[in-house]
Amino acid sequence: MLTKMASSDLCDSVYYSRFNDTMQEEGCWKQLCRELLLEKNSGDSGQDENSCFGRPGSQIDQKVEFRNKFGEKVFGIPVIIDFNRILQLKQVHENDGIITGVSNRDLLHAVCGLYDISLPDMESETIYNTVCAKWARTIAIVQDIKDATDNMMERLIKKRVREQKKLLEDQHEKKEANKDAWKAKIDEVEDVFKEEEEEVHLSAFIDVFSDTDEEEDEDVDEEEEDSSEENYTKGINTFIKSSFERRQQRESSDCLITPSTIGIENRLLGCVTFEKKFIEEKQRVIHITLISIRPRYRHYKIGQYLLSKCVSPVITGHFDAVVVHADNSAVNFFGKYGFSADVALNKKWGELADAFTNCTLMTYFPPFSGHSLLPTKVTREQDADMYDIDQELEKWQRKSEEAYQGQLTCILKFRNEILQLKNTIRVQNELLTKLVTTNRVNRDALEIERDLRSTHLDQAVSSLTRGLQSLNTESKQPLQSFSSISNTEIISRFIQGMEADGSVKIVYSVTSINKAILSPDVHAMYEKTVRHLHDSSMITTLYFCGSLEKPSRLQHILTHGFSEEDFSYGEFGRGLYFSKYPSKAAQFSVLGKLLEAQVALGQTESVLKCDRTRKSPSEGYDSIFTPGRLYRQGDNENAMLCQEYVLFDAHQVLPLWILSYSAYPNS
């Protein structure tokens, strides 16, 4: 309920007496507002209007009347503002701005605030930067103080009447509800009072103190760190506080609004911000970046008026097109005045779309003569000729779109077909490369197998010379031995082996031969192992590839034979590695020393695949024959020299001698 003020002011007493008499009656608020405004204006007639009612500067038109479809009207004066420039100018007085009595900072905050409530998806900082851009201009529709004061008083009276009416309705409903309230307290089954549940009472001050625990934001007016870019939001906190204080004064004034309680935020009806840009240095485009109308003044054709100024050469200068990024809810509004949303047509303005999301790009092209903004949507009853032209234009546009879509579809199909063909070619090339690689590997494997068979054949021929001795596998006669070979033959075979390697560019000479002295037990174990091989005739001499890892073991091997301590961990498993060629064995041996041994190969398995975990040959085999650890795929010239035998039983090998050699350049 409103309380009366002890005042002798005629307007106050008239207001309260008439308000209390009429607020119960429906439909009386219009007459009440009209009388109060007349009496207030007559009461203020003695005041200096210039001291209260400032008029905007930089006007582009006289006071304009805007009406809605119900005949209600509002007045505003359009002004054009270059915020980037005026903020750089120093004002003589704080309130001496573009609009009399309003600082330029407050005007900026009011404009950006209107944009902010209308465009919630846009960040406030982006709005400020857009409005204050170097080439941006803003047209604002502003009421003078007198009109704003009258409108505010009328709105406040309407609000009070609605609140009083709602209060009476609530009291009536509560009274009716209390008639039968006692029934809710009785348990009809038990015929006793129900136990009342404890109600949860919310504090009446919950909204008042909802932010008491929060600290106030620091005033943006305070000194800030130096920055190369100007902070356009400076003073926003002061502006918001002032606006809130003015609102509190109006609400507590009991409908007696004074000009001092009216701020620029109450006088602003609508605004539009645009920039003039050059696309590809040829076409001059007016880019409407922001437009907003105060919610309660929409449908007064203020938006149409602002658009008409944006397409007026008097305001914007000569241009080729007007471009706008319309919010989805505003597409119909812009389409009504000739803005086109054609995708192909608007593609040329794509570089303007970087800062806008969830918007539709639309373009307005001015006529050849005249720049009046006219509604383009007409019905047959309004203008039959224009309606027929629009129909033909839409039909032609649909056919053009269908032709464009058909052509683009065909081109995209051709493009995708080319991609498919290129992918097919790529897959086929990969397949050919794989086949060539596989063929090369198979060829290398065949060469290795051929060498292995040749070695087997040589050994078979050698075994035939011994006659029927090989038929008696249980015989106690001693097996073939190479220990009786002369030193001359040993040295000759070493020199020939070195010369067989074309990569060796130096000359080697044997300085000494240290032959092995083995115990009978070592010989007996060797002979026993050989007799149990799958092919006991496969015995040859090979060079040991492994003394480099444990050079101290050489002398021990000459007296005690090989053991698992001499095994090497190589690419083809853990075992004893041997080679026919001293040049390759020397790369795995102590410098200047090479151990030659009698090796019982038995049945040999050809292995191409590396496997470091291998500890024995496959079933049915006694050793494996490999491309060698030094072999590199594709090196066919040295493939034979790199071949290695691997044995996994130390008793299949008898050490023969250690060759000590020296090297000197080949003169």
Side-chain angles (χ1 to χ4, degrees):
M1 294 295 291
L2 297 174
T3 59
K4 295 185 179 180
M5 294 175 55
S7 173
S8 60
D9 187 281
L10 176 61
C11 186
D12 290 356
S13 60
V14 171
Y15 164 71
Y16 282 114
S17 61
R18 295 186 181 178
F19 179 76
N20 291 329
D21 293 339
T22 59
M23 62 184 177
Q24 307 264 348
E25 302 176 6
E26 298 183 2
C28 294
W29 61 268
K30 288 186 178 180
Q31 180 64 25
L32 176 60
C33 294
R34 198 174 295 112
E35 293 178 5
L36 280 173
L37 292 175
L38 289 174
E39 292 176 5
K40 176 168 174 45
N41 293 338
S42 62
D44 295 338
S45 60
Q47 299 179 4
D48 183 5
E49 290 189 5
N50 293 331
S51 65
C52 297
F53 306 135
R55 293 183 60 82
S58 301
Q59 293 181 211
I60 59 176
D61 207 343
Q62 297 299 321
K63 181 184 288 189
V64 183
E65 177 184 303
F66 302 100
R67 289 178 178 269
N68 62 12
K69 62 181 179 179
F70 302 108
E72 298 173 344
K73 57 185 177 181
V74 65
F75 297 92
I77 301 174
V79 294
I80 186 167
I81 312 154
D82 182 353
F83 281 110
N84 182 272
R85 184 178 179 183
I86 65 174
L87 291 178
Q88 295 176 4
L89 300 175
K90 299 297 183 179
Q91 298 175 203
V92 178
H93 301 290
E94 181 169 344
N95 292 331
D96 184 16
I98 289 292
I99 299 177
T100 305
V102 179
S103 70
N104 292 333
R105 282 284 179 183
D106 285 353
L107 178 59
L108 171 63
H109 295 319
V111 169
C112 293
L114 181 56
Y115 286 143
D116 191 63
I117 63 173
S118 301
L119 305 170
D121 294 336
M122 206 167 189
E123 294 184 359
S124 300
E125 184 178 354
T126 303
I127 293 176
Y128 273 92
N129 292 336
T130 303
V131 173
C132 297
K134 183 176 182 180
W135 304 109
R137 302 292 184 271
T138 299
I139 299 175
I141 308 295
V142 183
Q143 287 181 303
D144 62 22
I145 296 181
K146 182 178 182 300
D147 292 337
T149 303
D150 294 343
N151 289 343
M152 189 61 67
M153 184 179 296
E154 183 177 348
R155 289 179 55 246
L156 193 55
I157 292 174
K158 292 180 185 179
K159 180 181 178 182
R160 295 292 173 84
V161 171
R162 287 195 302 268
E163 290 177 352
Q164 183 64 21
K165 184 178 178 180
K166 187 175 185 303
L167 181 60
L168 293 176
E169 292 177 352
D170 292 343
Q171 289 178 349
H172 178 71
E173 292 178 359
K174 185 176 181 180
K175 184 176 180 181
E176 292 294 328
N178 288 336
K179 291 180 178 180
D180 297 328
W182 63 272
K183 294 183 180 180
K185 300 181 180 181
I186 301 298
D187 187 343
E188 297 181 358
V189 178
E190 300 293 336
D191 197 16
V192 294
F193 279 108
K194 293 180 179 178
E195 295 182 4
E196 296 184 1
E197 297 181 0
E198 184 178 356
E199 297 182 358
V200 179
H201 296 280
L202 298 177
S203 172
F205 297 97
I206 186 170
D207 293 330
V208 178
F209 297 100
S210 59
D211 58 350
T212 52
D213 294 334
E214 299 180 6
E215 297 181 1
E216 285 189 334
D217 295 336
E218 294 183 1
D219 196 333
V220 186
D221 289 334
E222 295 179 1
E223 183 178 355
E224 298 178 354
E225 296 182 1
D226 292 336
S227 175
S228 58
E229 296 184 0
E230 183 177 357
N231 186 359
Y232 297 111
T233 62
K234 183 179 180 181
I236 186 173
N237 195 38
T238 302
F239 172 75
I240 293 175
K241 286 182 178 179
S242 300
S243 301
F244 183 72
E245 290 173 359
R246 287 192 289 268
R247 181 176 180 180
Q248 286 183 321
Q249 291 174 6
R250 291 194 302 269
E251 291 180 351
S252 62
S253 64
D254 292 323
C255 303
L256 296 179
I257 306 298
T258 60
S260 63
T261 61
I262 301 298
I264 184 61
E265 71 278 3
N266 308 117
R267 300 167 60 185
L268 189 62
L269 303 181
C271 47
V272 61
T273 300
F274 62 89
E275 295 182 44
K276 192 169 185 177
K277 298 182 179 180
F278 290 86
I279 304 299
E280 299 178 354
E281 300 182 357
K282 297 178 181 179
Q283 294 181 304
R284 287 164 288 192
V285 175
I286 302 301
H287 185 200
I288 299 178
T289 52
L290 298 167
I291 184 171
S292 179
I293 311 299
R294 204 179 189 99
R296 64 172 168 268
Y297 292 119
R298 291 171 185 173
H299 307 293
Y300 279 78
K301 298 185 179 179
I302 297 177
Q304 178 185 354
Y305 178 84
L306 291 174
L307 280 184
S308 68
K309 293 303 176 183
C310 291
V311 301
S312 173
V314 177
I315 304 298
T316 60
H318 177 69
F319 61 88
D320 297 308
V322 179
V323 178
V324 63
H325 289 83
D327 190 71
N328 294 331
S329 60
V331 171
N332 292 335
F333 168 75
F334 287 102
K336 178 181 178 182
Y337 296 104
F339 283 78
S340 174
D342 185 88
V343 177
L345 183 65
N346 291 311
K347 191 174 181 62
K348 61 170 68 176
W349 322 121
E351 64 183 73
L352 301 177
D354 295 340
F356 296 88
T357 57
N358 300 325
C359 295
T360 301
L361 185 61
M362 304 183 74
T363 306
Y364 170 83
F365 293 96
F368 295 103
S369 61
H371 290 273
S372 299
L373 187 70
L374 301 173
T376 58
K377 299 296 183 181
V378 297
T379 62
R380 184 181 295 275
E381 292 74 13
Q382 294 173 337
D383 191 334
D385 293 336
M386 283 302 303
Y387 179 80
D388 292 338
I389 292 175
D390 289 344
Q391 295 299 311
E392 289 297 326
L393 181 61
E394 291 180 4
K395 186 184 299 182
W396 174 84
Q397 187 176 7
R398 285 196 299 270
K399 289 183 178 180
S400 299
E401 289 176 354
E402 291 174 359
Y404 169 77
Q405 292 169 356
Q407 294 171 359
L408 184 60
T409 300
C410 185
I411 293 173
L412 291 177
K413 285 188 175 183
F414 276 121
R415 179 183 180 277
N416 292 335
E417 181 66 21
I418 292 173
L419 289 176
Q420 290 292 332
L421 292 175
K422 290 177 71 66
N423 183 66
T424 301
I425 293 173
R426 181 183 59 79
V427 172
Q428 291 178 348
N429 287 337
E430 291 177 355
L431 180 60
L432 289 174
T433 303
K434 186 176 180 179
L435 291 175
V436 170
T437 304
T438 303
N439 182 57
R440 185 182 295 112
V441 172
N442 292 337
R443 184 179 61 187
D444 295 343
L446 289 175
E447 291 180 358
I448 294 173
E449 186 70 21
R450 183 186 62 190
D451 295 340
L452 180 61
R453 295 301 179 189
S454 177
T455 302
H456 286 181
L457 180 60
D458 292 342
Q459 295 296 332
V461 172
S462 177
S463 64
L464 287 175
T465 59
R466 296 191 297 272
L468 299 178
Q469 181 180 355
S470 60
L471 297 176
N472 187 10
T473 57
E474 299 297 330
S475 175
K476 299 299 182 179
Q477 297 180 3
L479 297 173
Q480 177 185 2
S481 175
F482 296 91
S483 58
S484 60
I485 298 177
S486 65
N487 290 348
T488 303
E489 185 177 354
I490 294 173
I491 295 173
S492 175
R493 190 165 53 196
F494 171 78
I495 298 299
Q496 291 177 1
M498 285 293 188
E499 293 176 349
D501 189 348
S503 62
V504 177
K505 304 300 181 183
I506 55 179
V507 177
Y508 291 91
S509 63
V510 177
T511 58
S512 65
I513 300 175
N514 185 13
K515 294 191 176 183
I517 302 175
L518 299 171
S519 64
D521 294 338
V522 175
H523 282 280
M525 183 59 69
Y526 169 75
E527 293 176 358
K528 180 180 178 181
T529 302
V530 170
R531 289 189 176 93
H532 287 85
L533 297 178
H534 294 86
D535 185 358
S536 59
S537 65
M538 283 298 298
I539 301 175
T540 186
T541 58
L542 298 173
Y543 294 98
F544 178 52
C545 306
S547 64
L548 184 62
E549 296 179 9
K550 298 179 181 179
S552 60
R553 291 279 303 168
L554 281 177
Q555 292 300 324
H556 185 273
I557 293 174
L558 287 182
T559 56
H560 297 84
F562 286 93
S563 67
E564 289 192 4
E565 292 186 33
D566 304 308
F567 283 15
S568 299
Y569 287 90
E571 283 82 349
F572 298 93
R574 179 176 179 272
L576 298 173
Y577 286 75
F578 293 91
S579 174
K580 290 169 54 178
Y581 299 95
S583 61
K584 300 305 178 184
Q587 298 186 43
F588 299 96
S589 303
V590 180
L591 182 63
K593 295 183 181 296
L594 202 60
L595 190 151
E596 191 171 4
Q598 177 177 322
V599 182
L601 296 174
Q603 190 68 29
T604 305
E605 175 190 8
S606 297
V607 175
L608 301 177
K609 185 177 180 181
C610 297
D611 184 2
R612 288 181 172 272
T613 63
R614 185 182 286 109
K615 295 182 179 180
S616 63
S618 301
E619 187 177 354
Y621 296 95
D622 304 304
S623 61
I624 63 175
F625 182 59
T626 70
R629 290 171 288 178
L630 298 176
Y631 174 71
R632 296 296 176 265
Q633 188 171 342
D635 186 10
N636 299 326
E637 183 178 353
N638 297 315
M640 184 181 299
L641 298 174
C642 296
Q643 296 168 355
E644 288 182 305
Y645 295 89
V646 184
L647 285 82
F648 302 94
D649 188 350
H651 299 303
Q652 290 180 236
V653 186
L654 279 179
L656 297 177
W657 45 73
I658 294 177
L659 290 168
S660 299
Y661 62 90
S662 60
Y664 54 90
N666 188 356
S667 58

